[in-house]
Amino acid sequence: MDTDKATEKLAAADAFSEAEKQAVYKAINTRRDVRDQFLPTPLPNDLVEKLLQAAHHAPSVGFMQPWNFILIRDSAQKQKIWEAFERANKEAAGMFDADRQSLYQKLKLEGILKSPLNICITCDRSRGGEVILGRTHNPQMDLYSTVCAVQNLWLAARAEGVGMGWVSIYHDAELKTLLGIPEEIEIIAYLCLGYVDALYEEPELQVKGWRQRLELSDLISEGRWSAGISPDKTTHE
Protein backbone atom coordinates (compact mmCIF):
# COMPACT_ATOMS: atom_id res chain seq x y z
CA MET A 1 0.00 0.00 0.00
CA ASP A 2 1.29 3.49 -0.86
CA THR A 3 1.97 5.09 2.53
CA ASP A 4 1.76 8.59 1.07
CA LYS A 5 -1.72 7.84 -0.26
CA ALA A 6 -2.69 6.27 3.05
CA THR A 7 -2.00 9.49 4.93
CA GLU A 8 -3.96 11.72 2.56
CA LYS A 9 -7.20 13.09 3.98
CA LEU A 10 -9.98 14.45 1.84
CA ALA A 11 -12.87 16.59 2.98
CA ALA A 12 -16.32 16.68 1.43
CA ALA A 13 -16.72 19.24 -1.35
CA ASP A 14 -20.44 19.82 -0.83
CA ALA A 15 -21.93 23.16 -1.79
CA PHE A 16 -22.53 25.57 1.07
CA SER A 17 -25.96 25.95 2.58
CA GLU A 18 -28.06 28.79 1.16
CA ALA A 19 -27.32 30.96 4.20
CA GLU A 20 -23.59 30.28 3.91
CA LYS A 21 -23.57 31.12 0.21
CA GLN A 22 -25.43 34.36 0.81
CA ALA A 23 -22.89 35.32 3.49
CA VAL A 24 -20.00 34.78 1.07
CA TYR A 25 -21.63 36.85 -1.66
CA LYS A 26 -22.60 39.54 0.83
CA ALA A 27 -18.96 39.91 1.90
CA ILE A 28 -17.88 40.17 -1.73
CA ASN A 29 -20.58 42.62 -2.84
CA THR A 30 -20.47 44.93 0.21
CA ARG A 31 -16.70 45.07 0.62
CA ARG A 32 -15.54 48.69 0.39
CA ASP A 33 -12.23 50.54 0.33
CA VAL A 34 -12.54 52.48 3.59
CA ARG A 35 -10.76 55.79 4.05
CA ASP A 36 -12.65 58.01 6.46
CA GLN A 37 -15.19 55.95 8.40
CA PHE A 38 -12.79 54.41 10.93
CA LEU A 39 -13.65 54.40 14.62
CA PRO A 40 -10.83 54.84 17.18
CA THR A 41 -11.63 51.58 19.02
CA PRO A 42 -8.57 49.28 18.89
CA LEU A 43 -9.03 45.89 17.26
CA PRO A 44 -8.69 43.03 19.78
CA ASN A 45 -5.56 40.94 19.35
CA ASP A 46 -7.54 37.72 18.90
CA LEU A 47 -9.51 39.32 16.05
CA VAL A 48 -6.33 40.55 14.37
CA GLU A 49 -4.94 37.01 14.63
CA LYS A 50 -8.14 35.68 13.07
CA LEU A 51 -7.89 38.09 10.15
CA LEU A 52 -4.23 37.27 9.58
CA GLN A 53 -5.05 33.55 9.61
CA ALA A 54 -7.54 34.22 6.83
CA ALA A 55 -4.83 35.98 4.84
CA HIS A 56 -2.36 33.18 5.57
CA HIS A 57 -4.79 30.62 4.11
CA ALA A 58 -4.73 32.26 0.67
CA PRO A 59 -3.68 30.13 -2.30
CA SER A 60 -0.01 30.45 -3.26
CA VAL A 61 2.00 29.13 -6.18
CA GLY A 62 4.01 26.06 -5.20
CA PHE A 63 2.64 26.58 -1.67
CA MET A 64 5.53 29.01 -1.16
CA GLN A 65 3.48 31.35 1.09
CA PRO A 66 5.65 34.36 0.24
CA TRP A 67 3.90 36.89 2.47
CA ASN A 68 4.91 38.67 5.68
CA PHE A 69 2.73 41.01 7.74
CA ILE A 70 4.08 44.14 9.45
CA LEU A 71 1.64 45.54 12.03
CA ILE A 72 1.84 49.29 12.66
CA ARG A 73 -0.02 50.73 15.65
CA ASP A 74 2.32 53.44 16.98
CA SER A 75 0.97 56.93 16.23
CA ALA A 76 4.42 58.47 15.70
CA GLN A 77 5.31 55.77 13.18
CA LYS A 78 2.00 56.23 11.39
CA GLN A 79 2.62 59.99 11.26
CA LYS A 80 5.89 59.46 9.38
CA ILE A 81 4.18 57.10 6.95
CA TRP A 82 1.35 59.60 6.43
CA GLU A 83 3.92 62.29 5.64
CA ALA A 84 5.45 59.99 3.01
CA PHE A 85 1.97 59.47 1.56
CA GLU A 86 1.28 63.21 1.55
CA ARG A 87 4.44 63.98 -0.39
CA ALA A 88 3.58 61.36 -3.02
CA ASN A 89 -0.05 62.48 -3.11
CA LYS A 90 0.91 66.02 -4.04
CA GLU A 91 2.99 64.60 -6.89
CA ALA A 92 0.07 62.42 -7.98
CA ALA A 93 -2.36 65.35 -8.08
CA GLY A 94 -0.17 67.09 -10.63
CA MET A 95 -0.40 64.12 -13.00
CA PHE A 96 -4.09 64.74 -13.77
CA ASP A 97 -5.52 67.42 -16.01
CA ALA A 98 -7.01 70.52 -14.43
CA ASP A 99 -10.60 69.25 -14.30
CA ARG A 100 -9.62 65.96 -12.67
CA GLN A 101 -7.16 67.65 -10.29
CA SER A 102 -9.97 69.56 -8.65
CA LEU A 103 -11.94 66.39 -7.91
CA TYR A 104 -8.80 64.45 -6.97
CA GLN A 105 -7.89 66.97 -4.30
CA LYS A 106 -11.34 66.62 -2.72
CA LEU A 107 -11.04 62.84 -2.34
CA LYS A 108 -9.99 61.25 0.93
CA LEU A 109 -7.50 58.64 -0.25
CA GLU A 110 -6.18 57.08 2.96
CA GLY A 111 -6.94 56.41 6.61
CA ILE A 112 -3.38 56.02 7.89
CA LEU A 113 -3.78 58.20 10.97
CA LYS A 114 -7.46 57.58 11.64
CA SER A 115 -7.38 53.76 11.55
CA PRO A 116 -6.13 52.06 14.74
CA LEU A 117 -4.16 49.41 12.82
CA ASN A 118 -2.05 49.61 9.67
CA ILE A 119 -0.67 46.46 8.04
CA CYS A 120 2.03 46.29 5.40
CA ILE A 121 1.99 43.02 3.44
CA THR A 122 5.19 42.05 1.65
CA CYS A 123 6.33 39.32 -0.75
CA ASP A 124 9.59 37.41 -0.29
CA ARG A 125 10.30 36.24 -3.83
CA SER A 126 13.14 33.95 -2.70
CA ARG A 127 11.03 31.88 -0.32
CA GLY A 128 11.06 28.23 -1.34
CA GLY A 129 14.27 28.42 -3.38
CA GLU A 130 15.20 29.42 -6.91
CA VAL A 131 12.87 27.03 -8.74
CA ILE A 132 9.25 27.13 -7.57
CA LEU A 133 6.56 24.73 -8.75
CA GLY A 134 4.13 26.72 -10.89
CA ARG A 135 6.40 29.76 -11.18
CA THR A 136 8.82 28.27 -13.70
CA HIS A 137 7.22 30.02 -16.67
CA ASN A 138 5.32 32.88 -15.00
CA PRO A 139 7.65 34.55 -12.47
CA GLN A 140 4.93 36.97 -11.32
CA MET A 141 2.86 34.24 -9.67
CA ASP A 142 4.32 34.88 -6.21
CA LEU A 143 3.16 38.49 -6.43
CA TYR A 144 -0.31 37.37 -7.49
CA SER A 145 -0.38 34.89 -4.61
CA THR A 146 0.30 37.67 -2.12
CA VAL A 147 -2.53 39.73 -3.61
CA CYS A 148 -4.80 36.75 -2.90
CA ALA A 149 -3.77 37.06 0.76
CA VAL A 150 -4.84 40.72 0.67
CA GLN A 151 -8.25 39.75 -0.72
CA ASN A 152 -8.71 37.01 1.89
CA LEU A 153 -7.94 39.55 4.61
CA TRP A 154 -10.37 42.06 3.09
CA LEU A 155 -13.28 39.65 2.92
CA ALA A 156 -12.65 38.33 6.43
CA ALA A 157 -12.51 41.90 7.71
CA ARG A 158 -15.83 42.71 6.05
CA ALA A 159 -17.42 39.66 7.68
CA GLU A 160 -16.16 40.85 11.07
CA GLY A 161 -17.46 44.40 10.66
CA VAL A 162 -13.93 45.72 10.19
CA GLY A 163 -13.25 48.29 7.50
CA MET A 164 -10.13 48.14 5.36
CA GLY A 165 -8.50 50.53 2.94
CA TRP A 166 -5.60 49.97 0.54
CA VAL A 167 -3.05 52.81 0.32
CA SER A 168 -0.94 52.77 -2.84
CA ILE A 169 0.38 56.33 -3.10
CA TYR A 170 3.94 56.30 -1.76
CA HIS A 171 7.48 55.73 -2.95
CA ASP A 172 8.54 52.15 -2.28
CA ALA A 173 12.06 53.12 -1.24
CA GLU A 174 10.79 55.60 1.34
CA LEU A 175 8.31 53.14 2.87
CA LYS A 176 10.95 50.41 2.96
CA THR A 177 13.26 52.72 4.89
CA LEU A 178 10.53 53.65 7.38
CA LEU A 179 9.61 49.99 8.00
CA GLY A 180 13.08 48.46 7.76
CA ILE A 181 12.13 46.30 4.78
CA PRO A 182 15.11 44.78 2.90
CA GLU A 183 15.65 45.94 -0.66
CA GLU A 184 14.93 42.51 -2.16
CA ILE A 185 11.51 42.23 -0.46
CA GLU A 186 8.53 43.55 -2.45
CA ILE A 187 5.84 45.70 -0.85
CA ILE A 188 2.47 44.47 -2.07
CA ALA A 189 -0.04 46.39 0.04
CA TYR A 190 -0.21 49.02 2.75
CA LEU A 191 -3.55 48.61 4.50
CA CYS A 192 -5.59 50.55 7.06
CA LEU A 193 -7.98 48.62 9.33
CA GLY A 194 -10.48 49.50 12.02
CA TYR A 195 -14.07 49.15 13.11
CA VAL A 196 -16.64 51.13 11.13
CA ASP A 197 -20.28 51.88 11.87
CA ALA A 198 -21.28 52.61 8.27
CA LEU A 199 -20.12 51.85 4.75
CA TYR A 200 -20.97 53.37 1.38
CA GLU A 201 -23.66 51.39 -0.42
CA GLU A 202 -21.62 51.78 -3.62
CA PRO A 203 -17.84 52.21 -4.02
CA GLU A 204 -16.82 55.63 -2.77
CA LEU A 205 -15.09 56.63 -6.02
CA GLN A 206 -18.32 55.85 -7.86
CA VAL A 207 -20.41 57.81 -5.36
CA LYS A 208 -18.10 60.83 -5.66
CA GLY A 209 -18.05 60.81 -9.43
CA TRP A 210 -14.54 59.54 -10.18
CA ARG A 211 -15.53 56.43 -12.17
CA GLN A 212 -18.46 54.11 -12.79
CA ARG A 213 -18.51 50.32 -12.53
CA LEU A 214 -18.06 48.61 -15.87
CA GLU A 215 -20.77 46.42 -17.33
CA LEU A 216 -19.75 42.77 -16.95
CA SER A 217 -21.12 41.99 -20.42
CA ASP A 218 -18.50 44.34 -21.92
CA LEU A 219 -15.70 42.32 -20.32
CA ILE A 220 -16.61 38.79 -21.46
CA SER A 221 -15.52 37.16 -24.70
CA GLU A 222 -15.66 33.56 -25.90
CA GLY A 223 -12.56 31.76 -27.09
CA ARG A 224 -10.52 34.83 -28.11
CA TRP A 225 -9.58 38.25 -26.78
CA SER A 226 -12.02 41.04 -27.49
CA ALA A 227 -10.93 44.67 -27.44
CA GLY A 228 -13.82 45.48 -25.10
CA ILE A 229 -14.37 49.05 -23.96
CA SER A 230 -12.56 52.34 -24.42
CA PRO A 231 -10.24 53.36 -21.54
CA ASP A 232 -12.40 56.30 -20.45
CA LYS A 233 -15.81 54.63 -20.68
CA THR A 234 -16.31 54.53 -16.90
CA THR A 235 -15.59 58.21 -16.33
CA HIS A 236 -18.54 60.42 -15.46
CA GLU A 237 -19.49 62.99 -18.06
Side-chain angles (χ1 to χ4, degrees):
M1 183 177 182
D2 189 328
T3 55
D4 290 338
K5 292 288 186 182
T7 58
E8 288 181 357
K9 294 182 179 179
L10 298 176
D14 298 336
F16 288 5
S17 70
E18 190 59 32
E20 290 168 336
K21 285 188 282 188
Q22 290 304 314
V24 171
Y25 288 117
K26 180 178 180 180
I28 292 170
N29 291 325
T30 64
R31 178 212 57 79
R32 294 289 176 263
D33 192 355
V34 178
R35 302 177 176 92
D36 200 34
Q37 295 82 46
F38 292 110
L39 302 175
T41 310
L43 298 176
N45 289 335
D46 59 344
L47 176 56
V48 174
E49 168 74 16
K50 197 174 180 182
L51 298 178
L52 293 177
Q53 284 288 354
H56 187 46
H57 280 75
S60 65
V61 62
F63 202 43
M64 68 182 294
Q65 304 158 79
W67 40 72
N68 281 77
F69 307 95
I70 305 171
L71 309 185
I72 301 106
R73 295 186 176 94
D74 179 71
S75 58
Q77 189 179 20
K78 289 195 288 184
Q79 178 66 33
K80 291 179 181 178
I81 293 166
W82 179 84
E83 291 168 2
F85 159 83
E86 188 64 10
R87 286 188 288 272
N89 195 43
K90 288 177 180 178
E91 295 172 359
M95 298 177 187
F96 296 97
D97 62 33
D99 290 341
R100 300 295 272 172
Q101 270 190 42
S102 177
L103 177 54
Y104 182 93
Q105 291 167 347
K106 294 175 183 177
L107 297 173
K108 170 74 170 174
L109 296 177
E110 50 73 39
I112 295 169
L113 299 177
K114 195 167 185 179
S115 61
L117 175 65
N118 294 185
I119 301 178
C120 183
I121 301 183
T122 62
C123 178
D124 182 351
R125 310 198 69 185
S126 68
R127 190 167 295 164
E130 292 185 9
V131 181
I132 302 293
L133 187 157
R135 199 183 63 175
T136 53
H137 291 71
N138 189 341
Q140 309 304 313
M141 289 300 295
D142 50 356
L143 303 176
Y144 305 153
S145 297
T146 309
V147 173
C148 288
V150 176
Q151 181 74 342
N152 269 21
L153 177 61
W154 217 332
L155 295 177
R158 177 65 190 93
E160 297 284 354
V162 173
M164 186 172 116
W166 189 332
V167 182
S168 59
I169 303 170
Y170 52 79
H171 290 289
D172 261 33
E174 191 168 6
L175 189 56
K176 284 184 176 182
T177 298
L178 290 171
L179 297 179
I181 298 171
E183 177 61 29
E184 67 274 12
I185 302 299
E186 296 282 350
I187 297 172
I188 301 301
Y190 191 91
L191 308 169
C192 304
L193 290 92
Y195 286 121
V196 291
D197 57 11
L199 291 170
Y200 283 96
E201 291 187 3
E202 301 291 341
E204 184 176 353
L205 292 183
Q206 180 171 319
V207 171
K208 294 187 175 178
W210 187 258
R211 290 181 74 83
Q212 288 283 354
R213 187 180 297 280
L214 300 173
E215 290 294 334
L216 178 59
S217 58
D218 290 336
L219 307 175
I220 300 172
S221 58
E222 289 283 351
R224 292 180 63 84
W225 164 259
S226 173
I229 64 169
S230 61
D232 61 350
K233 183 171 180 179
T234 59
T235 304
H236 274 292
E237 297 295 334

